[in-house]
Amino acid sequence: MSELIKLKKELFNFIRPYLSSIIVAIILLLIVSSLALIGPIIIKRLIDVDIANGLYEGIWVSAAMYIAVKLATLAGNYFQMYTLQRVGVSIMCDIKLKLFSHILRLPLKYFEKNPAGKLISRIESDTETLRQLFTNTVMTLFQDLLMFAGMVAVMFYLSAKLTLILLLILPFLFAGAYYIQRELRVRFKIAREKASAVSKFLSEYIQGMQCVQAFNYEQTSKNKMGEHNEEKKGTFYFAEVLEIIFHNSILLAEAMTLSSVLYFGGAMALKKELTIGTLVLFIGYIRQCFEPIIRLSEQFNIIQKARVAAERIFEILSLEAEERAEGEISVASDASASFRDRIEFDNVSFSYDGGREVLSGVSFSVKKGEKVALVGHTGSGKTTILSLLLRFYNHTGGRITIDGADVSAMKLSELRKKFALVLQDVVLFPGCVMDNIRLLDDSISGAEVEKAAQSVNMLDFIMKKEKGFQTEVAERGSNFSMGERQLLSFARALAFNSEILVLDEATSSVDPYTEALIQDALTKIQAGRTSIIVAHRLSTIITSDRIIVLEAGRIVETGSHEELLAMNGHYRKLYEKQRAGVEPPAETEEASDGGFEESPEQLDAVAVMAGGFSQIETINEDAEDGLKNASAE
Ligand SMILES: Nc1ncnc2c1ncn2[C@@H]1O[C@H](COP(=O)(O)OP(=O)(O)OP(=O)(O)O)[C@@H](O)[C@H]1O
Ligand SMILES: [Mg+2]
C-alpha cells in the first residue's frame, strides 16, 4: 500500500507543472457534465409544458434550447479534451525524457540483463499507457461519476419513488458486470501473454532473416509459426467471445432496467404520480447511464495496465545512476586537468558475475606518449582491461589510477573525456556521416570533421557517396563496408581530439588493401598521443613501445616486439600462427627456423600483395611509400 502511495506521489511530481491547465480542464469538465444533464430536462419541459398546453412557441423555444445546449456541450468538450490531451502528451514526453536520460547513465551491467526491446517498450508503450490513463480513464471516470450523481439527484427530485426502485436494481447489475469483467480480465491477460510470445517469435525470425534464408530454414520457420498460431487460436477466439458476451449482457441489463422503468413508471403515470415528460427523462438518463458502464470495461484494463506501467517506470528511475561518484573525493577536481604522467594498473582483478575472475593480478603502466599494445587469445581479457579503464565496469580488486588519481573516485564524464575510444564493434547512429563523426557535438566544426576523415583515409570513400558528409547512415551502418565503418570510428576518435587513444581493434577481417589504409590511419592517430591498443592483427602493433601479452586474464609477457620474439614464448607463438595465415606454409617453416627478419612494412606488404596489388589506386602517399619500399627489398 505504501508502495502505491509512493507511486502516486512520484506521478504527481510529473503532473505538478501542469496543475493550472488541469484545473481549467476540470472546470470545463464540470460545465460539460452539467450541460449533459440539461438535454433530457428540456425534452421533459417540451412534453409536460409546451405540448400539454399547446404552446406552439414553447416548442420552438425548446427545440432551439436543445440545439444550443448540445452546441455548448460539444464546444466545452472540445476545449476540455484539447487542454487535457495537450497536458497528457506533455507529461508523457517529460516522463519519456526523464526515463531516457536516466537510462543513459545506467551502468553497462544493467543493459546485459535488460534487452533493448524491453527498455524500448518501457520508454514507448509504458509512458503511452500512463498518458491514456491520465487523459482518458481518470478524467472520464471522474466525469461519469459526476454525471451519475447529477442524474440521480435530478431523478430523485422529480420522483423519489421511481429513483429508489432503480437504485435497488442497479447494485445487482454492477455486481454482475464486475463479475464478468473480472473473468474477462484474466482471459485477456492470458491472451496478451500468448500474443506477445507470437511477436517475440516474429521479431527473432525477422531479425535473423539472412540466416533463415541462408540455411533454407523458411519452411520450418513457417511451420513453427503455424504451430504458434494454432496454439493461440483458441485463446484469442475465447477472449473475443467473452467480450461479446460482456457487451451483450450490458445491453440486456439496460433493457431490463428500462423495462422496469416502463412498467413501474407507466403505472405511476397512469395514477398521475408521474408526468409523461418525467418518464421520458428517466428513459433518457438511464440510456446515458449505461454508456459509461460499457466504457468502464475498457477502463478497468487501462487502470490495471497503467499501474504496472507506472511501477516499471519508477523502478527504472529508482535505479542508481552512474554519476554517483561525482565530486566524491577531493581528487575529482584533479581529474579535470589534462593527462600529465601515467596510467597505472596495480594488481587489478575483476569478475563480471562475482564468480570467475576474468582478470587477476594485472599490473602495468602506460607513460604519457607511450604506445602500448595488448595482445592475447580471444577471451583473454583485453577488452575487459579497456572497459575497466573507462569504468564501464568497476574493478573488483587492486587499483587503477591516472596521474595518481583513482579512477573509481573520478567524475565519469571527466574520466571519459580523456579518452578517444574506438570500440571493437563499431557503433553508428541514425543520422548522416557528419553527425556520426562528431556525435552532434557542435563544438567540433565541419572543417575539423573533414580533416579527421582525411587523416584516416576516409575522405575519398565519403566523397564517392552522392551526398558526401550528408549521406545518411543506414541501420547498423549497413551502407558502409566493414572497413569503412572502422575508418569512420577512427575519424570519430580523431575528431574528439582526446589525449589518450584507446582502441579495440575489430576482429572482423577486412581486405588487405583496406587493412593497409587502416594501418596508416592508425599511425596518424597515434602520432603525439598516448595510446593503448588491443590488436588482433599483430602487424598493427609491431612498432609499439611495449606489447603486453595476456593469457586467461593474466599478463604473461611484456616487452617490445623484438624482445618478445627473442623470448620465444607466447607472443612468438601468436606471431607465427598469424604469419602462417598470410604466407605459404613452406615459407613459414623456413622462417621459423631462421627467425624473423622481415620488417613490419614487409609484413604489411605481404598482406597487401595477398589481396592483389592491382586494386590499389587511391592509396595515400604514406602507405604507398611504405609498401613500395617493402616490396622492393
Ligand atoms: N559482459 C560480460 N559478462 C560476462 N562475461 C564477460 C562479459 N564480457 C566478457 N566476458 C568474459 O570475460 C572474458 C574476457 O573477455 P574479453 O572481452 O575481455 O576478451 P578479449 O580478450 O577482448 O577477447 P576478443 O579477442 O575475442 O575480443 C571472456 O571469458 C568473456 O567470456
Ligand atoms: Mg575484445
Side-chain angles (χ1 to χ4, degrees):
M1 194 62 205
S2 65
E3 280 288 297
L4 207 63
I5 293 171
K6 205 175 131 223
L7 214 67
K8 282 185 186 147
K9 236 176 155 175
E10 281 175 295
L11 264 179
F12 186 72
N13 284 338
F14 282 103
I15 293 174
R16 202 196 307 272
Y18 304 99
L19 226 48
S20 52
S21 297
I22 293 174
I23 291 172
V24 170
I26 291 176
I27 293 173
L28 284 167
L29 189 142
L30 286 173
I31 297 172
V32 169
S33 306
S34 333
L35 286 173
L37 291 180
I38 296 175
I41 296 178
I42 296 174
I43 299 173
K44 173 189 151 42
R45 201 190 95 105
L46 178 103
I47 297 170
D48 288 349
V49 182
D50 305 331
I51 297 180
N53 301 318
L55 302 173
Y56 188 77
E57 257 179 29
I59 293 174
W60 188 89
V61 172
S62 292
M65 262 166 68
Y66 190 82
I67 189 77
V69 167
K70 276 286 163 201
L71 279 176
T73 314
L74 289 178
N77 232 331
Y78 170 78
F79 286 114
Q80 188 232 339
M81 284 321 278
Y82 176 82
T83 318
L84 210 56
Q85 294 292 355
R86 215 186 44 190
V87 173
V89 169
S90 305
I91 293 177
M92 179 181 74
C93 290
D94 289 354
I95 298 182
K96 260 188 199 171
L97 195 64
K98 175 104 195 235
L99 253 183
F100 184 59
S101 66
H102 195 79
I103 286 175
L104 281 176
R105 293 186 300 129
L106 289 178
L108 281 189
K109 244 189 168 71
Y110 181 77
F111 300 94
E112 279 160 20
K113 290 196 208 102
N114 296 280
K118 190 173 147 190
L119 292 175
I120 293 169
S121 107
R122 296 285 169 281
I123 302 179
E124 283 292 283
S125 53
D126 282 353
T127 49
E128 172 61 23
T129 311
L130 276 191
R131 184 189 70 81
Q132 274 186 17
L133 172 81
F134 175 75
T135 48
N136 306 350
T137 314
V138 174
M139 285 297 178
T140 37
L141 217 60
F142 182 53
Q143 184 169 17
D144 290 344
L145 280 176
L146 218 69
M147 298 259 293
F148 188 74
M151 285 187 243
V152 171
V154 175
M155 290 194 291
F156 201 82
Y157 172 75
L158 292 174
S159 167
K161 194 169 149 196
L162 193 54
T163 310
L164 283 177
I165 295 174
L166 263 182
L167 289 181
L168 279 179
I169 301 173
L170 278 178
F172 293 105
L173 288 179
F174 277 121
Y178 178 76
Y179 174 76
I180 298 178
Q181 177 55 40
R182 206 184 53 183
E183 281 297 298
L184 261 184
R185 226 162 43 206
V186 178
R187 305 278 163 190
F188 267 126
K189 194 165 166 243
I190 297 170
R192 259 208 313 275
E193 274 160 14
K194 297 217 168 175
S196 85
V198 172
S199 59
K200 190 164 162 260
F201 171 88
L202 282 177
S203 112
E204 275 165 12
Y205 276 77
I206 290 173
Q207 278 176 16
M209 195 51 79
Q210 196 175 13
C211 188
V212 169
Q213 291 180 353
F215 286 88
N216 291 325
Y217 198 37
E218 294 96 335
Q219 189 57 42
T220 324
S221 311
K222 187 181 149 198
N223 294 346
K224 274 198 160 183
M225 176 67 188
E227 282 166 29
H228 267 282
N229 263 347
E230 212 48 50
E231 195 188 315
K232 265 99 227 172
K233 244 181 206 163
T235 337
F236 291 147
Y237 166 77
F238 190 62
E240 290 306 320
V241 169
L242 270 176
E243 171 91 352
I244 298 167
I245 294 175
F246 177 73
H247 196 85
N248 283 343
S249 29
I250 299 278
L251 292 181
L252 178 69
E254 183 182 348
M256 278 159 62
T257 319
L258 274 177
S259 78
S260 318
V261 167
L262 288 178
Y263 175 71
F264 292 110
M268 285 163 76
L270 271 186
K271 287 187 245 161
K272 299 271 183 246
E273 285 175 33
L274 207 71
T275 65
I276 307 285
T278 307
L279 187 59
V280 173
L281 177 136
F282 267 72
I283 293 169
Y285 274 2
I286 287 165
R287 302 194 93 149
Q288 271 189 28
C289 265
F290 273 88
E291 269 170 37
I293 295 181
I294 293 177
R295 268 209 300 270
L296 214 62
S297 69
E298 297 154 20
Q299 280 155 12
F300 271 130
N301 268 334
I302 296 181
I303 293 175
Q304 201 60 26
K305 264 166 75 181
R307 215 183 118 176
V308 176
E311 270 169 13
R312 290 196 213 146
I313 287 174
F314 291 112
E315 184 190 301
I316 293 180
L317 288 180
S318 67
L319 288 173
E320 196 174 356
E322 266 199 311
E323 211 68 357
R324 60 189 175 279
E326 193 160 356
E328 205 176 53
I329 299 178
S330 57
V331 292
S333 56
D334 235 42
S336 57
S338 59
F339 177 51
R340 291 186 314 267
D341 182 27
R342 66 174 61 218
I343 295 168
E344 184 103 42
F345 272 62
D346 181 16
N347 203 17
V348 171
S349 58
F350 175 69
S351 149
Y352 279 101
D353 50 12
R356 182 177 71 99
E357 276 200 346
V358 170
L359 293 179
S360 18
V362 170
S363 301
F364 65 89
S365 69
V366 180
K367 284 209 284 292
K368 188 178 165 90
E370 261 187 333
K371 287 184 234 162
V372 170
L374 299 170
V375 300
H377 288 296
T378 186
S380 56
K382 305 178 296 287
T383 300
T384 308
I385 287 186
L386 303 187
S387 299
L388 295 185
L389 179 59
L390 273 91
R391 239 179 82 203
F392 291 121
Y393 299 90
N394 289 313
H395 54 283
T396 36
R399 251 165 74 87
I400 303 175
T401 53
I402 299 177
D403 292 339
D406 202 318
V407 291
S408 317
M410 282 186 202
K411 198 171 149 184
L412 272 183
S413 50
E414 301 283 358
L415 170 69
R416 291 179 185 161
K417 214 191 293 171
K418 292 181 191 302
F419 299 98
L421 175 66
V422 178
L423 290 166
Q424 190 165 8
D425 303 313
V426 177
V427 179
L428 295 174
F429 295 97
C432 63
V433 172
M434 176 70 76
D435 294 342
N436 258 289
I437 294 180
R438 64 176 169 192
L439 291 181
L440 297 175
D441 184 337
D442 288 335
S443 66
I444 300 171
S445 71
E448 282 170 311
V449 170
E450 269 181 45
K451 200 169 145 228
Q454 165 97 52
S455 304
V456 301
N457 307 322
M458 186 62 197
L459 198 60
D460 284 340
F461 289 115
I462 297 174
M463 286 316 178
K464 263 189 219 147
K465 302 261 176 199
E466 207 180 307
K467 290 191 183 154
F469 278 95
Q470 299 308 318
T471 308
E472 285 294 311
V473 174
E475 199 172 310
R476 277 171 290 170
S478 57
N479 56 343
F480 286 88
S481 75
M482 210 67 107
E484 288 168 350
R485 274 179 246 169
Q486 285 182 31
L487 290 177
L488 266 182
S489 69
F490 282 10
R492 184 189 286 163
L494 200 57
F496 275 78
N497 198 21
S498 305
E499 291 167 285
I500 310 165
L501 172 75
V502 173
L503 182 139
D504 201 348
E505 193 179 60
T507 28
S508 55
S509 49
V510 293
D511 66 278
Y513 164 63
T514 314
E515 183 166 336
L517 285 185
I518 290 178
Q519 179 60 48
D520 175 68
L522 193 58
T523 313
K524 286 189 198 154
I525 314 181
Q526 278 181 294
R529 280 196 178 79
T530 312
S531 63
I532 305 177
I533 292 185
V534 169
H536 297 102
R537 293 177 277 260
L538 299 186
S539 57
T540 312
I541 45 125
I542 289 172
T543 53
S544 302
D545 296 314
R546 207 139 28 86
I547 299 170
I548 296 170
V549 186
L550 283 161
E551 186 90 26
R554 290 178 182 278
I555 296 180
V556 287
E557 283 169 8
T558 312
S560 70
H561 175 67
E562 284 74 24
E563 286 165 358
L564 288 174
L565 282 183
M567 273 185 206
N568 225 344
H570 296 270
Y571 182 77
R572 185 169 182 128
K573 267 194 215 133
L574 270 175
Y575 188 71
E576 280 173 9
K577 258 188 220 153
Q578 280 210 355
R579 236 174 82 93
V582 181
E583 290 188 332
E587 272 181 47
T588 316
E589 204 46 40
E590 189 189 297
S592 54
D593 287 335
F596 292 88
E597 271 145 30
E598 291 88 339
S599 66
E601 290 82 13
Q602 275 174 308
L603 196 86
D604 281 348
V606 172
V608 173
M609 281 187 287
F613 245 138
S614 58
Q615 290 177 4
I616 305 173
E617 282 156 16
T618 51
I619 195 155
N620 71 65
E621 283 170 18
D622 289 7
E624 201 168 10
D625 286 345
L627 288 163
K628 273 185 196 148
N629 296 341
S631 52
E633 275 173 37

